[in-house]
Amino acid sequence: MNKNHAAGLFVLVMLLLVTACSSKPSWDEEHVHVESERLLADLVAADWKVEPPSDGGKASTIRIQLKREDGRPIESFDRNHEQLLHLMVISRDLSYFHHIHPAYQGSGVFEIANEFPSGGDYRLIADFKPTGGDSMTKLTWMRVDGPTVLPVPVVPDAELAQTADGNRVKLAIDRLEAKRAATLTFTIEEEGTGQPVTDLQPYLGAIGHVVVLSEDGERYVHVHAEEGQGSGPVALFETEFPKSGVYKIWGQFMRNDRVFTVAYVVTVA
């Protein structure tokens, strides 16, 4: 190798070294920003309306619009227990209970007609799951116009046994203590014969559906049916009462293609 070639090679090597030392991988200068699009309950708002009956009818229209915190409507929802949205309508004195499923109108709006038994305050509770979000619950109090009636006292039951549509349903709760896991055991038999009911049909994707609300309407308790249950006569559910006090429990089951509802009032220590 002659001197000119050696000098040229030396210059080339030095240029490569300087370039390598002065350059940085491109990701060293990038600012990576990861923003979760998952919808949490705190990021969702519900606008409620109850429109009075029109044209001499008896049914009011309940309307719910679900939005993001910036006001954009939530467009897509996942089915949860076979429905896009579950709505519980409960009177202030807990004597009236209606579990219904509003129709989705698009742009985050759900609507359904409901015939309220009287005027007064009602607790409206919506359960739903936005696509890409968590299952969540929104609650409100709504005032319904119309003649009012005397409230029915909420009195704890001496015996947890009720009858509906020819079915006698007994409830046993292993622990009525606040902030402790509790199992609700429903045992169903035919009212006339006392024979165990073994032909329950799945209701909303489970052996049944249970709702629990505190006497003041402020604590809505989530209840989950144990998986893999058969068709009766026993139905098991798991829950936890958040505070001591009086609660009302509604159990719903389906038999012969008819849903029947039983209700109990208990005191939690």
Side-chain angles (χ1 to χ4, degrees), residues 19-261:
T19 302
C21 291
S22 62
S23 64
K24 295 182 180 180
S26 60
W27 58 81
D28 282 357
E29 296 181 0
E30 287 183 359
H31 297 283
V32 179
H33 178 64
V34 178
E35 181 177 352
S36 173
E37 289 293 325
R38 187 167 187 82
L39 274 174
L40 306 177
D42 291 343
L43 306 179
V44 175
D47 290 340
W48 302 81
K49 289 183 180 179
V50 175
E51 298 176 356
S54 59
D55 300 327
K58 295 183 178 180
S60 302
T61 299
I62 302 174
R63 185 176 187 269
I64 315 161
Q65 184 171 32
L66 300 169
K67 303 177 181 179
R68 299 172 183 266
E69 60 179 348
D70 60 6
R72 289 181 296 152
I74 298 172
E75 298 285 354
S76 181
F77 300 83
D78 294 339
R79 290 190 177 274
N80 186 22
H81 296 293
E82 300 184 346
Q83 299 290 335
L84 294 181
L85 186 141
H86 298 263
L87 177 64
M88 267 60 70
V89 183
I90 304 172
S91 60
R92 170 75 76 172
D93 64 0
L94 310 186
S95 64
Y96 172 79
F97 171 86
H98 200 192
H99 177 182
I100 49 182
H101 305 108
Y104 185 44
Q105 308 297 319
S107 299
V109 175
F110 290 84
E111 287 185 354
I112 193 167
N114 186 71
E115 188 174 332
F116 293 90
S118 64
D121 294 327
Y122 288 82
R123 193 53 144 165
L124 305 184
I125 305 170
D127 281 337
F128 57 93
K129 184 180 184 301
T131 300
D134 294 334
S135 296
M136 58 189 70
T137 300
K138 296 296 176 180
L139 304 87
T140 193
W141 286 105
M142 295 296 292
R143 182 75 180 179
V144 174
D145 294 334
T148 60
V149 297
L150 291 175
V152 177
V154 183
V155 179
D157 292 309
E159 180 186 9
L160 299 182
Q162 300 290 340
T163 300
D165 289 349
N167 302 287
R168 183 168 174 80
V169 186
K170 299 177 182 178
L171 171 61
I173 306 174
D174 65 343
R175 184 179 291 111
L176 277 172
E177 300 176 31
K179 298 181 180 179
R180 298 286 299 274
T183 299
L184 280 57
T185 302
F186 295 84
T187 303
I188 306 165
E189 60 186 33
E190 292 184 354
E191 180 184 11
T193 66
Q195 292 298 311
V197 169
T198 58
D199 58 353
L200 291 177
Q201 296 166 279
Y203 177 55
L204 300 175
I207 194 169
H209 187 267
V210 174
V211 170
V212 181
L213 190 67
S214 61
E215 181 182 15
D216 60 5
E218 297 303 319
R219 289 177 292 278
Y220 173 62
V221 182
H222 290 273
V223 185
H224 304 280
E226 288 193 3
E227 296 183 359
Q229 300 190 60
S231 55
V234 175
L236 302 175
F237 297 82
E238 301 295 333
T239 192
E240 182 177 304
F241 297 94
K243 293 182 66 175
S244 60
V246 175
Y247 291 80
K248 191 160 187 176
I249 302 170
W250 292 269
Q252 295 187 289
F253 304 93
M254 188 162 68
R255 188 183 182 207
N256 300 323
D257 298 322
R258 288 171 57 92
V259 176
F260 61 93
T261 303

